[in-house]
Amino acid sequence: MKIRNFLLSGCLITALCSCGTSQKENLNLTLSKDVLFDKVKGAWAGQILGCTYGGPTEFQYLSTIIPDSVLIPWGNGEIKKWFDGGGGLYDDVYVDLTFVETFERCGLDAPVDSFAAAFLAKEYPLCHANQQARYNLLQGLPPHASGYWKNNPHANCLDFQIEADFAGIMSPGMVNSAVGICDRVGHIMAYGDGWYGGVYVAAMYSLAYVSDDIEYIVTEGLKVIPRESRFHACMTDVINWHKQYPTNWKKCWEEIEKKWGTNDIACPDGVEVPFNIETYVNGAYIILGLLYGQGDFEKTIDISTRAGQDSDCNPASSGGILGTMLGYNRLPEKYKAEMVIVEDMPFNNTVSFNKGSELSYGHALQMIEKEGGKISGSEVKINFQKPVPAKLEISFEGLKLDKRVVVDNWIANFPPIEFEGTGAVIKGELKGENVPEEYVAELEVYFNDKLIEVCKLPLKYNHRKHELFFNYVQPYDKYTVTCKWINPVKGADIWVRDVITYTTDK
């Protein structure tokens, strides 16, 4: 392997190249407008196709590989059937497109408040970090705080990782511009590793415009992530294991599972169970597909799918990144044939594939000019940006799992929970029959008879609080947790599943 230095757009870039040529020679910074549009279209198509391919197995295989004996179906009307079923599979796409619409409406300098307002105005179904962010915004929390880990137990979940595609798609070869967009939008629902997942995906999309070298895209894109972060450490491990086992993705998967497969801190739904929706594990499955797929679209999305866990969103990301590199015209015909059927059908409360591609293409042209590139006649010249690490953020710093207590009963039978530590999460939901949708339950939570919070719990599903209660920041002490429902109504009840308590790693 040779180390090469070269100048590009005034920046000294060091490239590791095993092919005998420098990355300066390999980077294509001049594209025809037709090629640029083809890559934009390939990006969106790749995301949709990957999501559809992995849809039938989403969270069906937890901490296990989907066996080769399990055939993943692909037939006529494969995408349309998900549309006909309500389109909820495509949460990564329709949230993505919401931000595309915001740029179109408000311009490239749209402030975070515009994105938050657009996100809040949509009534499509959401989960995890996105849903908690929606709840936080409805409660009056500012956008920059709605994804912060003290306000969002799902701050490290993959929500922004699966919907940051738009930032990279509109920033060809301009990774730092993509990161800037992620800073504005991603903190609405994420922080720390949860934010880094989106930043990394956006950076890889950006680089996929100008390089046909998957390893370069994966390794160069990682330079936008601080080395001190957990996310960077996990992605680095995957890259190194790929070098160690270059032809055996399943062995690489085993190493990922062994070191990174267990998580008892961030997402409350993943505590002491194999379910894992954290960015780093699912991000590992994105680049697992990219590295071992070797530029083959079907192989790439199949590996990212068979790695398990969020098996629709991970191939959506790897498929979208590879689709950007290949362009729409080079995608396999059997997949494009299904895209044609739905190409003008709007995604849940947003725009269609064709319209989204058109809008992102226009935004990419605007970004190229804004960041010092040139548009002349039928071609564009990109002012390439050397990746710069984003700021360091650490979610749930110092927290350590104390225990998980299964309650699985109505709030009227909630037992006092004793623990020694700094905080707790109470999982459950408000249920109601013949209760007005606008009803909001109020649940008082006490630590040692001290009122910690009056939890407001909307009955309306799209306005719900993802957990009944969470608080990680009490002084270290011995506590007894108790609850009191102060405004019960006939037909409503509060079901409690688990109480998870936390201590510190001191």
Side-chain angles (χ1 to χ4, degrees):
M1 180 171 285
K2 298 178 181 178
I3 299 177
R4 302 290 185 92
N5 293 327
F6 57 92
L7 282 170
L8 189 59
S9 299
C11 297
L12 180 66
I13 296 179
T14 300
L16 298 176
C17 188
S18 58
C19 57
T21 60
S22 72
Q23 278 295 337
K24 180 183 178 182
E25 297 169 69
N26 290 339
L27 289 178
N28 183 11
L29 304 181
T30 300
L31 306 175
S32 71
K33 288 182 178 178
D34 288 343
V35 168
L36 179 67
F37 180 70
D38 186 56
K39 286 179 174 291
V40 169
K41 196 173 177 182
W44 285 111
Q47 183 188 15
I48 296 163
L49 291 166
C51 185
T52 308
Y53 185 82
T57 57
E58 180 187 16
F59 287 117
Q60 297 300 306
Y61 292 82
L62 308 179
S63 297
T64 185
I65 289 173
I66 300 175
D68 294 337
S69 59
V70 175
L71 299 180
I72 298 175
W74 190 270
N76 294 336
E78 197 68 40
I79 304 176
K80 188 174 184 298
K81 74 179 184 183
W82 292 101
F83 272 81
D84 292 343
L89 175 71
Y90 301 108
D91 55 337
D92 49 343
V93 181
Y94 55 67
V95 176
D96 232 327
L97 289 171
T98 297
F99 302 135
V100 173
E101 291 178 303
T102 305
F103 273 116
E104 183 64 16
R105 187 174 60 255
C106 302
L108 295 186
D109 296 323
V112 64
D113 288 351
S114 296
F115 296 104
F119 174 76
L120 188 56
K122 303 291 187 179
E123 283 295 321
Y124 40 51
L126 296 171
C127 285
H128 290 265
N130 281 333
Q131 180 56 34
Q132 184 60 41
R134 173 191 269 166
Y135 173 87
N136 287 342
L137 293 170
L138 286 168
Q139 300 304 310
L141 212 62
H144 70 270
S146 58
Y148 186 53
W149 67 272
K150 292 181 182 180
N151 303 321
N152 195 327
H154 303 273
N156 277 359
C157 290
L158 53 66
D159 299 59
F160 186 56
Q161 180 168 273
I162 71 174
E163 59 209 22
D165 315 66
F166 77 98
I169 294 172
M170 67 185 290
S171 307
M174 299 172 289
V175 290
N176 302 322
S177 298
V179 174
I181 293 168
C182 289
D183 190 27
R184 266 185 284 168
V185 179
H187 287 110
I188 293 172
M189 70 291 292
Y191 188 82
D193 288 334
W195 183 62
Y196 292 142
V199 170
Y200 185 38
V201 164
M204 289 191 285
Y205 269 98
S206 178
L207 292 167
Y209 279 99
V210 298
S211 176
D212 287 334
D213 184 338
I214 287 293
E215 290 190 33
Y216 172 78
I217 292 168
V218 169
T219 56
E220 191 74 4
L222 191 57
K223 292 180 180 179
V224 300
I225 308 300
R227 289 180 176 272
E228 304 92 332
S229 68
R230 183 182 178 94
F231 187 87
H232 189 285
C234 181
M235 298 308 110
T236 300
D237 279 346
V238 179
I239 292 167
N240 290 335
W241 288 325
H242 172 249
K243 293 174 182 176
Q244 188 175 352
Y245 312 109
T247 61
N248 190 344
W249 75 263
K250 293 179 181 178
K251 180 63 178 174
C252 185
W253 181 94
E254 289 174 1
E255 297 289 354
I256 296 168
E257 179 64 21
K258 188 176 3 178
K259 183 172 181 179
W260 297 102
T262 301
N263 179 71
D264 287 334
I265 301 301
C267 179
D269 292 334
V271 174
E272 295 185 345
V273 296
F275 174 86
N276 198 319
I277 199 171
E278 306 304 308
T279 50
Y280 47 87
V281 168
N282 290 280
Y285 297 161
I286 294 171
I287 64 173
L288 185 75
L290 286 168
L291 291 170
Y292 285 93
Q294 300 175 311
D296 180 288
F297 184 79
E298 186 162 11
K299 187 176 178 182
T300 295
I301 62 173
D302 187 65
I303 292 172
S304 287
T305 296
R306 291 187 183 276
Q309 297 292 358
D310 198 352
S311 68
D312 65 323
C313 291
N314 298 330
S317 297
S318 62
I321 292 162
L322 185 58
T324 309
M325 191 187 87
L326 296 174
Y328 183 78
N329 290 333
R330 291 171 62 192
L331 294 177
E333 288 298 329
K334 74 174 185 178
Y335 295 114
K336 288 194 292 184
E338 299 308 312
M339 286 299 310
V340 171
I341 297 171
V342 301
E343 62 184 6
D344 290 313
M345 296 176 64
F347 285 88
N348 202 329
N349 206 14
T350 55
V351 297
S352 67
F353 161 66
N354 274 345
K355 185 62 176 179
S357 298
E358 175 191 323
L359 294 178
S360 286
Y361 172 67
H363 300 159
L365 290 175
Q366 294 174 48
M367 284 291 290
I368 288 169
E369 282 196 311
K370 181 182 179 182
E371 300 301 335
K374 294 183 179 180
I375 300 174
S376 56
S378 62
E379 70 177 22
V380 299
K381 292 184 179 180
I382 296 167
N383 185 22
F384 182 78
Q385 296 173 351
K386 178 182 177 181
V388 175
K391 58 188 176 184
L392 180 64
E393 299 179 351
I394 302 176
S395 298
F396 308 99
E397 187 172 14
L399 275 186
K400 182 179 178 182
L401 177 67
D402 174 44
K403 62 179 178 289
R404 171 175 170 248
V405 178
V406 178
V407 177
D408 217 19
N409 214 327
W410 299 114
I411 193 69
N413 300 315
F414 185 84
I417 304 294
E418 296 181 350
F419 77 100
E420 183 174 349
T422 59
V425 174
I426 303 176
K427 291 176 57 182
E429 64 179 311
L430 172 66
K431 298 184 177 184
E433 292 184 7
N434 300 317
V435 178
E437 188 181 47
E438 63 271 16
Y439 172 66
V440 178
E442 295 185 1
L443 182 69
E444 294 180 340
V445 179
Y446 295 85
F447 285 12
N448 291 348
D449 298 324
K450 176 186 176 183
L451 179 63
I452 301 300
E453 182 182 349
V454 179
C455 303
K456 297 186 181 301
L457 309 174
L459 179 63
K460 185 175 181 180
Y461 182 77
N462 280 354
H463 292 180
R464 74 194 185 282
K465 190 177 184 183
H466 211 285
E467 280 72 35
L468 299 175
F469 167 82
F470 59 89
N471 188 294
Y472 305 106
V473 294
Q474 295 304 303
Y476 186 91
D477 204 346
K478 291 182 179 180
Y479 293 107
T480 299
V481 182
T482 56
C483 298
K484 181 181 179 181
W485 185 10
I486 61 175
N487 66 335
V489 297
K490 184 178 180 180
D493 219 327
I494 299 173
W495 186 262
V496 182
R497 295 192 179 90
D498 308 305
V499 177
I500 304 164
T501 56
Y502 295 89
T503 181
T504 65
D505 59 4
K506 65 180 182 181

